[in-house]
Amino acid sequence: MDSETRSYRTGSRETVLDLTDDCRGFVAGRGDGLLHVFVPHATAGIAVIETGAGSDDDLLAVLADLLPADDRWRHAHGSRGHGRSHVMPALVPPYATLPVRDGRLALGTWQSVCLVDLNVDNTEREVRLSFLAG
């Protein structure tokens, strides 16, 4: 297994950050296998969704409806509603495992690999990419 950790700046706003190009570059030329993408944070997740046509904003809107940024959360340090960021990985898991064929991600036409981060208190995220040869 070959692994690499990359850092991403997510800023101080909720974000869906497209990692697809980085994932493609990581698996290029590696043959068949699996790419495992993992974010080692308690308040972020990995989603495989369409981006660029509004779906990324729709995902943030759904998460805002399901997990409002208000004072209901018992985990209450940080910015208002911070506790929701700790619940989000139950809905958007902190990992995804994707097929790789002949050194290329075997994604559907409109699928992208994205980091989902609602935590406005942390502006830096790490993502671990691991290739498991088939």
Side-chain angles (χ1 to χ4, degrees):
M1 179 172 68
D2 186 22
S3 293
E4 181 178 300
T5 300
R6 297 186 180 193
S7 295
Y8 295 92
R9 185 157 187 71
T10 54
S12 58
R13 293 186 306 168
E14 298 173 0
T15 190
V16 175
L17 181 65
D18 193 338
L19 307 176
T20 309
D21 287 343
D22 285 352
C23 291
R24 284 187 178 124
F26 180 74
V27 303
R30 294 185 188 262
D32 293 345
L34 296 171
L35 171 65
H36 187 73
V37 183
F38 177 70
V39 57
H41 300 284
T43 58
I46 300 293
V48 178
I49 63 168
E50 178 180 3
T51 59
S55 296
D56 38 354
D57 290 332
D58 289 343
L59 175 59
L60 291 176
V62 166
L63 291 171
D65 287 346
L66 291 172
L67 306 169
D70 58 22
D71 295 325
R72 74 182 69 200
W73 307 100
R74 291 181 186 147
H75 188 115
H77 72 82
S79 61
R80 185 169 191 251
H82 175 78
R84 76 190 192 116
S85 297
H86 288 273
V87 174
M88 190 210 53
L91 303 173
V92 180
Y95 60 87
T97 302
L98 307 162
V100 177
R101 295 184 59 184
D102 196 27
R104 287 185 239 167
L105 284 179
L107 293 172
T109 302
W110 304 112
Q111 290 180 315
S112 296
V113 183
C114 297
L115 171 65
V116 181
D117 189 1
L118 300 182
N119 186 349
V120 299
D121 296 324
N122 293 337
T123 61
E124 297 279 334
R125 294 296 180 177
E126 290 186 346
V127 176
R128 291 184 192 141
L129 305 176
S130 300
F131 182 74
L132 296 89

